[in-house]
Structure formats: C-alpha cells, structure tokens
Amino acid sequence: MAESNDSVSVDLGTIYLGGKEHRVKTACGVVSVIVYGDREKPALITYPDLALNHMSCFQGLFFCPEAASLLLHNFCIYHISPPGHELGAAPIYPTDSVPSADGLADQILEVLNFFGLGAVMCMGVTAGAYILTLFAMKHRERVLGLILISPLCKAPSWSEWFYNRVVSNLLYFYGMCGVVKEFLLQRYFSKEVRGNIEIPESDIAQACRRLLDERKSVNVMRFLDAIDLRPDISNGLKKLKCRTLIFIGDQSPFYSEAVHMAANLDRGYCALVEVQACGSMVTEEQPHAMLVPMEYFLMGYGLYRPSYFTESPRSPLSPFCISPELLSPESMGLKLKPIKTRVSTC
C-alpha cells in the first residue's frame, strides 16, 4: 500500500511484539501507530481510553488465544495512540494547540490516508470509542463496522465534568499521583479487580498502575480536556448505517451511556452485549466474553476463525446483512455460564 502523502511523514521506530511503530505527522501533531500483521489484509484500527495505549488497553484481548486467532487471521491491526500516549512519549509542549474531539477524529482520516487504507473496521474503548464513532459519522464511507467497548456518545454530565476537573487539577499540580491512579482504575475496572481491604488488588490492576506511571501528566490532561468538551452526538447515531457491536460491563460507570447509545442506533445495525461482573475495560478484564459475539458479528462480513476459514482474506471486506438470528442471545453465548454474558439486540 502507498505511503506517500504530502501532508504526512513517517519514521520507522520500535518493534513491539512483532508490530512496527510508525510516527505519522498530521495537522494536529504526530501520531504513533503500531502496525501488526499482513498489510494486504483488511484493516482493523483501535483507539484506547484516556491515559492508555494499545499495550494497556488491548493487550488482554490480543493475548487471549481464541480472540487473537480470530482478529489476526482476518485483519492487519493498526493501533492508534492518542497524542502523547504512546510508549516512551515525551511531554507535549504547552505551546502546542490542544486538539478537540473533532480534531482527533480528523487525525484518524489522515492516518488512513497515509497508509493508503480504504474502509476499515474500528474498535475503541470509552473515550476512544467516542472518537471512532465521531469519525464514522463524519466519514461514513471509510468505516465498515464499529466494535465499541463502554462507549460515550453524550456530552459529559455534571458529575462526569466535575470528576474530570478534579482529575485534571490533580494532574496539573501533582502529576500521575496515587489519587489520580485510583480515579482512573475506578473508570476502567470492576470492584473485584481493584480489590479492597480483604481482597488484594488483581494482577491486571497492578500492571495498569505500572503502565500509568509511564504517562506524562500534561499529555493525559490534553486528551482529558478534549473529551471533557465533547459534543453530544446522540442525534446523529440513527444516520450511522455501519454494523455496530457494543460491549458494556455491568459495573462500568458508563453503563447508562452505552445503553443510551444502543437505543439511539438503528435496531437493524446494532447489538448490545452486557458482560456481568465487569467494569468498562472488557478488553482487559474479561476478553474471553468478547469472542463469541465478535465471531458472529464478523461472520456478517464473511470472516471466520482459522479453524473454519483456511485462506487468509486478501480482498477488502464486503459486508452484508447480519441475520437477526446470529445476534440472538442463544447464538451469542448467553448460556455460557462461566462468561456470564447477557446479550440483547438493540
């Protein structure tokens, strides 16, 4: 695929677990993109939540063998980091302009154009899900489908706005301190994962704490400010005609937001999966709960796990209507008791 574009440039960087980092220059600054896999395959782009990158937001999903085989067999993965959220990122200069949510969505278009990508599959978590949804609304012809985890679609409530202001002030005065980490872990994980006096904090939460230490507070503040000023996009959701699969943990602080979003999407194009005993970051906390719904979702595009599909797809995705039966609770794994996943069609 072509990598020549007057508006962008690239430096080939670090190798991450078989992926290569590309630093793409856009109108809103340089963006880090980690590319995994065969670039002749259809593209799946990911976008993480606040203060996270692909290592801290999607590693659990891609380390789940069944999910990894499904996704890596069918897609080339493009992990896009919010500005300043990539591994080893330096602090962003205070004089640099702060991109809006709209500007971050436009960055995605520049990244796709740089890599010569056409229509892509998108996967985002919370703030990242909002950016990808906004991108899909602005550039419908470039999005084949959305896989959204604990997504946002409304403007911040008063409680969220206040919470964000507290976090922003703490970041400004104290950096990535213990209190900020606690706020963020509450945003990401269920109570069981975070632990308490009687139950120790899980390995997932401890690993996340260590990764948060690497974030530069000014960079996190910039992304938080962009998300805190996001507009309500609920009214435009009906116009989205790409297939959308939404996952939400029943302990996520954004549970009602995800349900609201599902209710405002076209019923013929959306399925909602509720994961029990889980927080917002289903990709890390219960990635196995995503497998069966994703399998049926991707079947609508003619994509399968290797055990069912022996040749790697080399042509662009050609979506067709997903049969309603494929999105029924029975088909999507409601009876898999260890997963405890509740599913409803929107």
Side-chain angles (χ1 to χ4, degrees), residues 146-165:
L146 291 168
I147 302 173
L148 307 176
I149 299 93
S150 307
L152 306 173
C153 66
K154 296 189 289 186
S157 63
W158 281 108
S159 59
E160 185 191 344
W161 176 87
F162 178 76
Y163 166 95
N164 289 344
R165 288 306 86 206

Side-chain angles (χ1 to χ4, degrees), residues 308-328:
Y308 306 123
F309 195 91
T310 55
E311 280 187 34
S312 297
R314 297 282 176 171
S315 59
L317 297 177
S318 179
F320 52 86
C321 182
I322 301 176
S323 169
E325 289 78 12
L326 291 179
L327 296 178
S328 68

Side-chain angles (χ1 to χ4, degrees), residues 5 18 24 48-49 59 75 78 84 106 115 129 158 193 211 213 240 245 249 275 284-285 290-291 295-296 300 311 336:
N5 189 309
V24 181
D49 192 18
Q59 183 172 263
F75 295 102
Y78 296 77
D106 289 339
F115 287 107
W158 281 108
V193 168
L211 290 167
D213 282 330
L240 273 180
L245 178 60
V275 183
E284 291 295 314
E285 192 168 342
M290 299 177 64
L291 177 63
E295 278 195 286
Y296 284 108
E311 280 187 34
L336 296 178

Side-chain angles (χ1 to χ4, degrees), residues 183-234:
F183 273 124
L184 291 173
L185 290 178
Q186 289 175 24
R187 176 188 179 98
Y188 304 148
F189 299 120
S190 66
K191 294 177 181 177
E192 289 80 4
V193 168
R194 299 197 310 270
N196 52 43
I197 297 175
E198 298 178 353
I199 303 173
E201 190 174 66
S202 71
D203 292 342
I204 297 173
Q206 291 178 20
C208 188
R209 280 184 188 276
R210 291 192 294 271
L211 290 167
L212 288 173
D213 282 330
E214 300 174 6
R215 298 286 79 74
K216 299 295 186 290
S217 57
V218 64
N219 301 356
V220 177
M221 282 173 55
R222 289 165 61 90
F223 190 25
L224 179 59
D225 289 344
I227 294 302
D228 207 28
L229 295 173
R230 68 183 186 270
D232 190 322
I233 58 174
S234 301

Side-chain angles (χ1 to χ4, degrees), residues 53 83 89 140 153 182 200 212 233 254 280 293 301 308 318 333 342:
N53 55 37
R140 296 177 205 167
C153 66
E182 289 300 327
L212 288 173
I233 58 174
F254 307 107
S280 298
Y301 297 87
Y308 306 123
S318 179
R342 210 163 49 235

